[in-house]
């Protein structure tokens, strides 16, 4: 029996919390599991190192930033190994190189290529609890790379896949995956389980519990994920392959206020315009939603779409650099909007879910700006000031109707 | 032309100082040198990490401490590479693994076994300034080891040897090697040059400018060392093979107040007693000096010697554990003494140096407790309260007589 556990930076921020994590790790060991633990850098270490790098040289090479950031996880790893040793158990820390986590060469956003887990297996066989540095890997030259923000989850899932772990537990500062953000929706319910697909949608919609790439990887290798609190003892949420259930359940109501609408006026109405627009977005790896277009009498059209707030500078820059190629008149953006979504795998075969959402909004007199749907998600664009209230209303509609599995 | 430069922790403690070091490194590059830079951890980083490790687990494994400490140098390396890049030059940081510094397995006090400098050479050929983490290596398992305190100098000298560097520059917070500690002796003179052997003696006598192991290694491979200030622009001191010079020169007057005298009374006066005493000292790697013995009428003898203050606990413990084997009556120690030494390679063939020291002390009425000499050193044990005055007198005797080369 082998278990992979992952603890985020806030869970190991102080020696006291580190000791608490060590106790949890040892509990799993005492249950008879071989244990591999993945940790992030302590507290704000990563942000502080980034700040220091900027002060030293705003145009530092990404390679050096990765070399610098890798130390954050190496430190928390070594300290956790010591904390486990303090409880009388054997433990070793392994950085990405020793853990055999080989990646592509793209610094600051590398992809895991393969994992040679010989050393990890050896240490497990030697009765050690193995503590692995999350977020980092090494490229073909042996240089440290990093996997992008929040990627310690990814390290944990990848190790679980390679080691054929029974479970991959993601410990975090919340108690699991909720049917809505508990800070916004007062009756939000902790879900006992959720499917990979639904979790992927929720992650895209801004639920920060699990990084999207990690869920994708877990889905690919069928790794059972458990998301739970590193502070409290509670069940947590199991993320796994969809199970056939009677009835329709929704897995979440999500509000994303971090979006703006981009309007482009008088763009040439000719074949290939949308292709050009999408290729600009693709280059910047920018997702767009709520696409609309309106033809004008002069043979041009106005188009609009939403993007994440922190992408908008990139969008404006890209379009302003393509004025000639696209031949539009002006581009502008405005905020004041929010995206309210309901996620449910049942939706694909049953239209009840979106219509219940629309009903709740209609009853409350909330105006819907536009609608966007996918196989397992229905989203509406509404006024940002009405977003929290709307989320509560919609959530309550489903909860009281027993459409949320508690 | 290749130069190895080493900067200590205080030289890179802040972004401003780091930028200053980067400027010095680039100056050497602009003179046409290929440059390899070795850096220590910034400021108090190492002490802080040790403290953190103790808080986490007072009985942590040495392996984990080494893994933790290694991050200190990795950070300063990456930051210095960034600071060099800020000046428009190419730079890469290499940790011990990437720099190929292979060591024995003894954690916290490993010895360098060999250096595979392929990567360093490759980066130099690619027009990079190469920044290497000091103080660390890796063992046959690939785990980080550390080389003991002050061992960044050792890293620099070893790299200079492997890379056949023209010079190894050790940048520090003093301007070079002085004929005496300038805080004690007001007319202390910065030496333009000193031989390896004299430097070794001075290092043993508590001059902290260069670690003894580094000088030994430099001597073994004939590496020309230059000790100079990282803050000021000045000549520094060259440490190299002894040159034949006319006349007798002394290289330093040293005061060591960090000693105590250990007295063992009524030890059996039989063959092998000193062998047993020395073997106890050897086990603890403890150096002793000023050995004296006095036979008693009852067929026993009293013996005494000096040891460094911070070794005395170990000495007491070792002897108290050997009471039966050595059959002595009591052991005690007392301070209040200091060791005043003059170092000169000319001494071996000319007795003028020790006699000038004795003359200076005699003229001032300073009582000499005992005397100890080696090939290139003459030391006296005196009252600690008279030590600073005596050092000034002795130093002035040699300086005014032109026995110190300025």
């Amino acid at each position: 029996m082998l278990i992979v556990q992952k603890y985020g930076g806030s869970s190991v921020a102080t020696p006291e919390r580190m000791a608490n994590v060590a106790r949890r790790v040892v509990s799993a060991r005492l249950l008879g599991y071989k244990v591999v633990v993945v940790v992030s850098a302590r507290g704000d270490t990563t942000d502080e190192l980034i700040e220091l790098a900027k002060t030293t040289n705003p145009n530092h090479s990404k390679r050096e930033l990765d070399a610098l950031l890798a130390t954050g996880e190496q430190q928390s790893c070594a300290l956790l190994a010591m904390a486990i040793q303090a409880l009388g158990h054997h433990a070793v820390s392994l950085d990405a190189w020793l853990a055999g986590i080989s990646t592509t060469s793209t610094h600051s956003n590398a992809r895991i290529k393969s994992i040679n887990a010989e050393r990890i297996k050896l240490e497990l066989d030697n009765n050690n609890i193995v503590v692995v540095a999350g977020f980092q890997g090494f490229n073909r030259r042996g240089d440290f790379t990093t996997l992008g923000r929040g990627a310690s989850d990814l390290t944990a899932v990848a190790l679980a896949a390679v080691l054929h772990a029974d479970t991959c537990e993601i410990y975090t500062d919340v108690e699991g995956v909720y049917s809505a953000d508990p800070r916004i929706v007062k009756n939000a319910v902790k879900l006992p389980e959720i499917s990979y697909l639904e979790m992927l949608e929720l992650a895209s919609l801004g639920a920060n519990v699990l990084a999207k790439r990690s869920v994708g990887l877990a889905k690919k290798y069928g790794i059972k994920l458990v998301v739970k609190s590193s502070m409290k003892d509670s069940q947590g949420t199991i993320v796994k392959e969809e199970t056939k259930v009677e009835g329709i359940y929704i897995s979440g109501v999500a509000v994303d206020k971090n979006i703006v609408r981009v309007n482009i006026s008088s763009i040439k109405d000719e074949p290939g315009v949308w292709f050009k627009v999408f290729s600009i977005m693709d280059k910047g790896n920018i997702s767009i939603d709520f696409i609309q277009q309106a033809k004008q009498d002069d043979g041009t059209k106005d188009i609009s779409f939403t993007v994440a707030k922190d992408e908008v500078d990139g969008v404006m820059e890209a379009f302003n650099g393509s004025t000639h190629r696209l031949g539009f008149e002006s581009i502008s953006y405005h905020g004041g909007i929010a995206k309210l979504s309901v996620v449910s795998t049942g939706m694909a075969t049953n239209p009840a879910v979106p219509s219940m959402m629309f009903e709740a909004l209609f009853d409350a007199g909330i105006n819907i700006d536009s609608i966007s749907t996918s196989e397992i998600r229905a989203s509406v664009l509404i006024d940002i000031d009405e977003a929290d209230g709307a989320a509560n209303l919609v959530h309550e509609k489903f909860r009281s109707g027993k459409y949320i599995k508690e």
Side-chain angles (χ1 to χ4, degrees), chain A residues 137 175 374:
Chain A
E175 286 182 57
S374 78

Side-chain angles (χ1 to χ4, degrees), chain A residues 103-298:
Chain A
T103 72
T104 56
S105 285
T106 328
H107 284 291
S108 89
N109 200 21
R111 305 264 145 186
I112 296 175
K113 274 165 58 184
S114 64
I115 298 182
N116 176 346
E118 289 314 306
R119 178 70 186 268
I120 295 180
K121 287 175 185 165
L122 180 78
E123 297 296 350
L124 289 172
D125 288 347
N126 287 339
N127 208 25
N128 275 305
I129 291 169
V130 180
V131 187
V132 177
F135 175 64
Q136 60 182 238
F138 64 93
N139 64 20
R140 70 193 158 73
R141 312 184 78 176
D143 295 353
F144 279 117
T145 53
T146 61
L147 308 171
R149 280 254 122 141
S152 288
D153 289 359
L154 198 70
T155 306
V157 174
L159 285 174
V162 170
L163 298 166
H164 306 290
D166 296 273
T167 309
C168 179
E169 295 180 338
I170 308 288
Y171 287 87
T172 173
D173 46 7
V174 296
E175 286 182 57
V177 181
Y178 281 75
S179 58
D181 185 336
R183 289 167 302 185
I184 294 173
V185 175
K186 60 176 188 293
N187 287 324
V189 169
K190 189 179 70 188
L191 304 171
E193 58 180 59
I194 186 171
S195 72
Y196 296 122
L197 275 180
E198 289 167 315
M199 193 65 233
L200 277 173
E201 281 288 356
L202 285 179
S204 306
L205 294 169
N208 287 319
V209 188
L210 275 177
K212 201 174 162 185
R213 285 158 77 192
S214 323
V215 182
L217 193 67
K219 177 172 169 17
K220 184 171 172 189
Y221 289 99
I223 308 295
K224 188 175 87 176
L225 293 178
V226 182
V227 181
K228 57 205 297 191
S229 164
S230 63
M231 315 290 176
K232 290 190 195 168
D233 262 316
S234 61
Q235 267 317 105
T237 301
I238 299 170
V239 187
K240 57 188 183 90
E241 215 41 89
E242 189 184 353
T243 46
K244 293 263 173 263
V245 287
E246 299 284 322
I248 301 161
Y249 289 101
I250 70 148
S251 63
V253 172
V255 180
D256 186 358
K257 298 176 189 168
N258 190 37
I259 57 171
V260 294
R261 184 192 279 286
V262 176
N263 297 299
I264 300 174
S265 65
S266 303
I267 200 165
K268 277 182 244 165
D269 187 13
E270 57 184 29
V273 160
W274 276 113
F275 167 71
K276 286 175 192 164
V277 169
F278 270 93
S279 74
I280 288 172
M281 298 292 113
D282 263 5
K283 260 183 224 153
N285 204 15
I286 296 165
S287 297
I288 68 178
D289 199 0
F290 294 107
I291 297 159
Q292 293 190 326
Q293 59 179 1
K295 299 211 177 204
Q296 304 299 324
D297 293 340
D298 63 358

Side-chain angles (χ1 to χ4, degrees), chain A residues 25-40:
Chain A
V25 170
V26 165
S27 305
R29 184 85 192 86
L30 294 176
L31 287 173
Y33 283 100
K34 288 184 176 182
V35 188
V36 174
V37 194
V38 175
V39 271
S40 304

